Amino acid sequence: MSTDSIYRENVEFGWFMPTMGDGTSLGRESERKPTLDYLTSVARTAEQSGFEFVLIPTGGACIDSWVVGSAIIGATTTLKPLVAVRPGLIAPVLTARMAAALDTLSEGRARINIVTGSSPDDLEELGDPLARAHDEKYDRTREYLDVIKGVWEQAAGLSSTEFGASADASVKDNKVYFKGNYYDINGGTSRPATVQKPGLPIYFGGSSPMAKSVGAEYADVFLMWSEPLEMIKQQIEELQVQQHKLAEQHGSIRPLRVGMRAQVLVRDTEEEAWEAARNLIKDIDPATIERAKASFSKTGATGQNRQNQIRDAAAANDFVVGPNLWAGLSNVRSGGALMFVGTPDQVSDRLLEYAEAGVTSFILSSYPHLEEAQIFGESTLPLFKEKWNRRLVSSV
């Protein structure tokens, strides 16, 4: 399989916004509440530490991602808010308008992260009729993104030859008409036009074949949760298969960037780093761990099932799954819980290995997010960039 379908040049780094609360350990009530002052402090620290964007999550006990994104653009000058959005809970034209408004007010900094898979229980609480219908949720996402991209392009005076591939769609008098299985849009428009053309960058994640198919067709950045390097390489290969299937239909490769969500913990010595990592979960009682693992096992998300398998396979080795890679947080944290642990030199080397495999968008976090953003940004981010630039020069 050729590799020209994956963007492999500049590497971008994002940080994670702790909108459920924050603290110095996991498995207990948050020591730091997600107040406006605290969240904007995390955002400003991430910006000052060299991160280009922040992921604002959605679901569960998270404070609404759109509201947080609006607060962040007023507290920063260059930081890009990556707002997580779940299809089916907000109408697509309204989503397009909300995103365009955020893009306008931030002067072209906004991005959106489409989250199709999620906790079925959480989606049911919010009234999603497809909460437990995995494939149907991805079919709906296709239509959702068709409509969003369609109205963005029309507002920008552009016309896409691929618009509405998943449904009966047309454009008349600069208005979008769309009739699918999930959405019926009669004269849709987006106001204002987005600053970024033809629209906001779309981040999209998943591990299932359906997720990779949708991502290959619509995403600008395809996101995965952190896994051992060989597993990530396999996922990239699977994504490329979907890209080439689309190329057979459309006549050309649609390149995209690959991203990864991961935890990081760096200290001056490896011993200090491992001690700090293990301290994050050392006081959690066994009952809390068992409840969390039982909850994670009920997920319908392919990615979470993979995280569960990685954790269980590494249990006998103190959850060490590879060089400087630890699954200990997976006992109490869902999602991208694998953590890079070590010195700045070690962790930058590990990230470099993933970048060489095709991952050029990293979304990182650690506890507490405020201090750890500064530690990583000052100690490891410049070192990674130096190594990456040397690699680029040597490859010319």
Side-chain angles (χ1 to χ4, degrees):
M1 180 71 64
S2 65
T3 59
D4 58 356
S5 60
I6 301 298
Y7 180 84
R8 295 173 183 269
E9 298 302 323
N10 297 331
V11 179
E12 64 174 16
F13 281 85
W15 195 246
F16 182 81
M17 293 299 298
T19 61
M20 293 177 65
D22 202 3
T24 57
S25 62
L26 282 74
R28 61 179 66 182
E29 185 176 352
S30 299
E31 303 161 41
R32 305 179 188 181
K33 302 302 180 184
T35 64
L36 177 62
D37 284 346
Y38 186 67
L39 292 177
T40 53
S41 293
V42 172
R44 282 193 293 264
T45 299
E47 181 179 56
Q48 294 163 3
S49 300
F51 292 95
E52 297 177 44
F53 65 98
V54 285
L55 171 61
I56 309 168
T58 186
C62 296
I63 290 180
D64 182 79
S65 56
W66 290 104
V67 175
V68 176
S70 299
I72 285 174
I73 63 172
T76 59
T77 56
T78 63
L79 194 69
K80 301 175 176 67
L82 174 57
V83 176
V85 181
R86 294 198 285 192
L89 302 181
I90 303 177
V93 173
L94 180 56
T95 301
R97 292 184 179 187
M98 293 167 66
L102 191 64
D103 199 43
T104 298
L105 295 178
S106 67
E107 299 181 326
R109 288 189 276 154
R111 306 173 175 191
I112 61 171
N113 175 35
I114 300 298
V115 182
T116 298
S118 186
S119 163
D121 290 343
D122 191 30
L123 291 175
E124 283 186 338
E125 287 180 14
L126 295 167
D128 188 345
L130 301 182
R132 299 187 184 277
H134 180 276
D135 289 358
E136 288 87 343
K137 281 188 291 188
Y138 283 97
D139 287 335
R140 180 178 63 187
T141 295
R142 291 182 190 275
E143 294 189 9
Y144 191 78
L145 290 173
D146 263 334
V147 173
I148 288 175
K149 286 193 167 191
V151 295
W152 279 344
E153 290 173 359
Q154 291 309 308
L158 304 173
S159 179
S160 172
T161 57
E162 298 180 6
F163 167 61
S166 65
D168 180 11
S170 62
V171 177
K172 183 179 180 181
D173 296 329
N174 294 320
K175 295 183 178 181
V176 168
Y177 296 82
F178 184 98
K179 188 172 182 60
N181 293 321
Y182 305 97
Y183 298 107
D184 191 349
I185 309 298
N186 186 25
T189 60
S190 180
R191 298 183 295 271
T194 59
V195 175
Q196 301 171 87
K197 301 294 188 286
L200 277 64
I202 292 175
Y203 289 61
F204 179 89
S207 296
S208 69
M210 282 287 288
K212 292 183 175 74
S213 175
V214 175
E217 187 171 0
Y218 294 94
D220 297 297
V221 182
F222 185 83
L223 294 175
M224 298 174 288
W225 286 336
S226 50
E227 295 179 347
L229 183 58
E230 293 306 313
M231 294 179 68
I232 290 293
K233 288 180 178 178
Q234 180 185 14
Q235 292 226 60
I236 292 175
E237 290 178 0
E238 293 170 357
L239 178 62
Q240 289 179 293
V241 168
Q242 296 297 331
Q243 288 178 285
H244 282 262
K245 286 182 179 179
L246 282 171
E248 292 174 0
Q249 300 174 23
H250 301 293
S252 62
I253 286 284
R254 181 180 178 275
L256 50 75
R257 186 191 290 268
V258 172
M260 188 174 75
R261 173 82 180 91
Q263 308 291 322
V264 289
L265 201 154
V266 294
R267 293 294 185 267
D268 291 338
T269 69
E270 185 174 6
E271 292 75 17
E272 290 175 317
W274 281 109
E275 181 182 7
R278 294 184 173 108
N279 282 343
L280 291 172
I281 61 170
K282 72 173 184 177
D283 294 327
I284 302 175
D285 66 273
T288 298
I289 292 177
E290 290 308 312
R291 284 195 299 271
K293 291 169 67 174
S295 174
F296 301 159
S297 69
K298 298 176 182 178
T299 181
T302 302
Q304 184 60 54
N305 289 332
R306 291 170 68 98
Q307 295 286 305
N308 297 344
Q309 293 164 7
I310 294 167
R311 177 201 64 215
D312 293 344
N317 192 34
D318 195 22
F319 301 103
V320 176
V321 298
N324 306 105
L325 190 60
W326 187 57
L329 299 188
S330 298
N331 285 293
V332 289
R333 190 196 190 285
S334 61
L338 266 66
M339 173 176 271
F340 292 97
V341 181
T343 66
D345 190 52
Q346 289 172 325
V347 172
S348 60
D349 279 347
R350 298 292 83 77
L351 295 176
L352 189 66
E353 291 168 355
Y354 282 78
E356 290 173 341
V359 178
T360 56
S361 180
F362 291 98
I363 303 177
L364 307 177
S365 62
S366 193
Y367 300 86
H369 292 71
L370 181 65
E371 291 90 333
E372 294 297 334
Q374 182 175 0
I375 291 172
F376 183 88
E378 293 180 351
S379 69
T380 311
L381 190 51
L383 188 56
F384 174 90
K385 291 180 177 180
E386 178 186 335
K387 293 177 179 180
W388 183 251
N389 288 336
R390 286 205 305 264
R391 175 192 175 278
L392 292 179
V393 170
S394 65
S395 64
V396 174

